[in-house]
């Protein structure tokens, strides 16, 4: 069993990865139509989800969602539910993967073909997502220790840069009282969604000591505000809409005068390439385990059966990813927008189902003390 700090690593990974994912784009599109109020509402909602889900999973120490659902509900109900959740985890990973391939081609290596880049990422992700969950958590902790200082440095450097316009930030703050937007709220709550990886990683926890919940809310609020306001400070309230990946465009605008590498873009790219690949690995690891739990021969524990299961599932993951490469930028944005909303509903349904499982477990214990 692992320590509770690894839960915070899962949460922190997901909150940081949102800076480059499609969450900023969703917020920027509604910057005049309630994005700020949506952020303020998304923080308590996301924090509540983190607290409730963690406390519910604590009722089932050492068990993942497949074990919990299959033991308390009929297979006819749990199989389609687990299938939907598995697809959502796959999509969460593939959106990050495709967006980072696009970022690599736009900012780092525009002369390289898209398929060599995505195939290289796929090989790495498919090898690593088969690793056991404990090793992934240890690796995630090391990667956060390396990348977090770089991300903090980039954020501070962006805020103290003389090209940063506080007037643009104050101007957008005047729209704070606009009615919140459901799409912006769905995007804002995705920052907190690292907790949902406990669906599989709870197998490694005996009990999670969730302390100082207010720190989760504070970190979420700070990250969301920085994600939203810093690009506006650089490109203006109107000019920011011309940039697809606003934070990479922001990093490309920053120079480091007293370092070997002059362009902040390369440091920012290294930090987020590492974190993005780790995020895809974690999401696909959870999706892989969920798919394995619903396969017809899931009960077979032989190494050969396990290898076949993983080969089939990862083969489908890779084929679907290569097919999604045909999407243009508009279609990819639309996929991300739909995912953010459906994912929010999926989290609510999982929490509601866990409530039902806890109640059913308690009734069973009363009948059989």
């Amino acid at each position: 069993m692992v320590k509770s700090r690894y839960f915070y690593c899962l949460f922190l990974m997901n909150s940081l990865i949102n800076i480059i994912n499609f969450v900023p784009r969703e917020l920027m599109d509604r910057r005049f139509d309630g994005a700020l109020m949506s952020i303020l509402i998304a923080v308590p909602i996301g924090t509540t989800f983190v607290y409730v889900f963690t406390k519910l999973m604590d009722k089932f120490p050492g068990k993942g969602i497949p074990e919990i659902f299959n033991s308390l509900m009929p297979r006819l109900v749990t199989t389609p539910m687990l299938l939907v959740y598995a697809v959502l985890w796959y999509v969460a990973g593939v959106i990050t993967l495709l967006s980072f391939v696009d970022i690599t081609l736009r900012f780092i290596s525009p002369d390289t073909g898209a398929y060599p880049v995505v195939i290289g990422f796929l090989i790495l992700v498919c090898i690593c997502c088969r690793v056991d969950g404990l090793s992934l958590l240890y690796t995630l902790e090391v990667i956060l220790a390396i990348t977090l200082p770089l991300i903090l440095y980039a954020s501070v450097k962006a805020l103290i840069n003389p090209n940063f316009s506080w007037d643009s930030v104050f101007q957008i703050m005047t729209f704070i009282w606009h009615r919140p937007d459901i799409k912006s709220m769905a995007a804002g709550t995705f920052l907190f969604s690292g907790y949902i990886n406990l669906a599989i990683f709870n197998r490694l926890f005996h009990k999670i000591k969730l302390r100082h919940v207010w720190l989760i809310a504070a970190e979420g609020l700070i990250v969301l505000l920085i994600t939203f306001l810093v690009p506006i400070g650089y490109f203006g309230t109107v000019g920011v809409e011309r940039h697809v990946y606003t934070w990479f465009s922001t990093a490309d605008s920053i120079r480091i005068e007293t370092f070997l590498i002059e362009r902040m873009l390369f440091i920012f790219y290294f930090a987020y390439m590492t974190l993005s690949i780790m995020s895809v690995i974690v999401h696909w690891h959870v999706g892989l385990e969920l798919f394995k739990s619903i396969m017809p021969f899931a009960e077979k524990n032989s190494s050969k059966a396990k290898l076949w299961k993983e080969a089939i599932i990862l083969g489908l993951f890779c084929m679907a990813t290569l097919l999604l490469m045909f999407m243009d930028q508009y279609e990819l944005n639309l996929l991300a927008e739909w995912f953010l909303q459906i994912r929010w509903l999926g989290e609510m349904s999982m929490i509601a189902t866990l409530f039902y499982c806890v109640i059913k477990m308690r009734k069973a214990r009363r009948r059989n003390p």
Side-chain angles (χ1 to χ4, degrees):
M1 296 297 174
V2 297
K3 296 183 178 179
S4 297
R5 73 172 184 269
Y6 290 102
F7 166 76
Y8 293 96
C9 288
L10 290 170
F11 167 78
L12 193 59
M13 175 197 71
N14 206 79
S15 65
L16 292 175
I17 207 66
N18 280 283
I19 288 180
I20 64 151
N21 225 326
F22 288 94
V23 171
R25 184 72 269 153
E26 288 296 311
L27 296 176
M28 297 302 170
D29 288 344
R30 294 161 183 84
R31 60 196 181 281
F32 302 123
D33 300 307
L36 268 173
M37 183 58 70
S38 299
I39 287 173
L40 297 179
I41 295 174
V43 170
I45 292 175
T47 307
T48 302
F49 280 16
V50 172
Y51 180 81
V52 172
F53 186 81
T54 306
K55 289 299 181 182
L56 290 173
M57 292 300 289
D58 261 351
K59 307 294 183 183
F60 306 95
K63 291 184 178 181
I65 285 293
E67 294 83 23
I68 298 170
F69 285 6
N70 288 330
S71 63
L72 295 168
M73 295 190 295
R75 281 276 185 152
L76 196 62
V77 175
T78 61
T79 298
M81 290 180 65
L82 293 174
L83 178 61
V84 171
Y85 294 144
V87 171
L88 286 176
W89 258 283
Y90 161 74
V91 175
V94 81
I95 287 176
T96 302
L97 182 63
L98 292 178
S99 62
F100 211 82
V101 169
D102 194 23
I103 288 167
T104 301
L105 296 176
R106 285 172 183 260
F107 292 94
I108 303 299
S109 184
D111 297 327
T112 306
Y115 282 96
V117 176
V118 74
I119 289 172
F121 283 147
L122 282 174
I123 292 172
L124 179 61
V125 169
C126 289
I127 291 173
C128 295
C129 72
R130 296 180 60 248
V131 176
D132 64 279
L134 188 60
S135 299
L136 288 181
L137 289 178
Y138 291 156
T139 306
L140 175 59
E141 184 180 32
V142 173
I143 286 176
L144 284 173
I146 296 171
T147 58
L148 186 57
L150 298 177
I151 294 169
L152 290 174
Y153 173 72
S155 302
V156 173
K157 189 73 174 175
L159 288 169
I160 65 175
N161 194 292
N163 295 321
F164 185 84
S165 172
W166 285 101
D167 289 340
S168 298
V169 173
F170 293 143
Q171 184 180 355
I172 208 70
M173 293 287 285
T174 62
F175 294 90
I176 191 171
W177 299 114
H178 277 239
R179 186 178 62 184
D181 176 75
I182 191 68
K183 293 181 180 179
S184 299
M185 288 171 59
T189 55
F190 186 56
L191 179 140
F192 297 87
S193 293
Y195 73 91
I196 208 74
N197 289 308
L198 283 179
I200 292 299
F201 284 97
N202 195 60
R203 294 169 177 173
L204 306 173
F205 291 91
H206 178 67
K207 185 172 180 61
I208 299 174
K209 297 179 181 178
L210 195 60
R211 298 173 179 172
H212 307 299
V213 180
W214 65 271
L215 283 175
I216 293 176
E219 191 269 352
L221 179 61
I222 291 169
V223 172
L224 277 171
L225 290 177
I226 289 176
T227 299
F228 179 60
L229 295 176
V230 169
I232 291 174
Y234 273 89
F235 304 116
T237 57
V238 176
V240 73
E241 69 185 10
R242 302 190 185 102
H243 300 267
V244 179
Y245 301 102
T246 53
W247 260 91
F248 273 88
S249 298
T250 301
D252 202 22
S253 305
I254 302 173
R255 296 292 179 267
I256 309 173
E257 297 82 7
T258 57
F259 193 60
L260 295 174
I261 301 173
E262 182 186 4
R263 296 175 68 186
M264 175 64 75
L265 175 66
F266 295 120
I267 295 176
F268 197 74
Y269 177 83
F270 167 76
Y272 269 98
M273 178 188 69
T274 311
L275 200 58
S276 293
I277 292 174
M278 191 68 218
S279 173
V280 179
I281 290 169
V282 169
H283 283 125
W284 280 20
H285 173 78
V286 176
L288 177 64
E289 293 298 319
L290 290 173
F291 270 115
K292 283 163 60 177
S293 69
I294 60 177
M295 292 187 75
F297 45 102
E299 287 77 14
K300 295 182 180 179
N301 294 318
S302 69
S303 58
K304 188 175 181 180
K306 180 182 176 182
L307 184 62
W308 272 107
K309 284 187 285 187
E310 292 176 346
I312 293 170
I313 296 166
L314 292 176
L316 292 173
F317 280 10
C318 293
M319 288 173 59
T321 303
L322 293 174
L323 289 174
L324 290 173
M325 285 290 293
F326 287 101
M327 291 191 304
D328 57 26
Q329 187 64 57
Y330 172 78
E331 292 168 337
L332 189 58
N333 282 335
L334 192 61
L335 173 64
E337 182 179 320
W338 278 102
F339 165 74
L340 289 173
Q341 297 174 64
I342 295 171
R343 175 273 325 167
W344 198 18
L345 296 175
E347 289 182 16
M348 294 180 191
S349 70
M350 185 176 286
I351 291 173
T353 309
L354 271 176
F355 264 119
Y356 170 79
C357 290
V358 169
I359 293 171
K360 192 170 183 179
M361 180 185 67
R362 287 177 175 173
K363 288 182 178 177
R365 286 178 177 174
R366 290 194 193 109
R367 288 195 299 266
N368 303 299

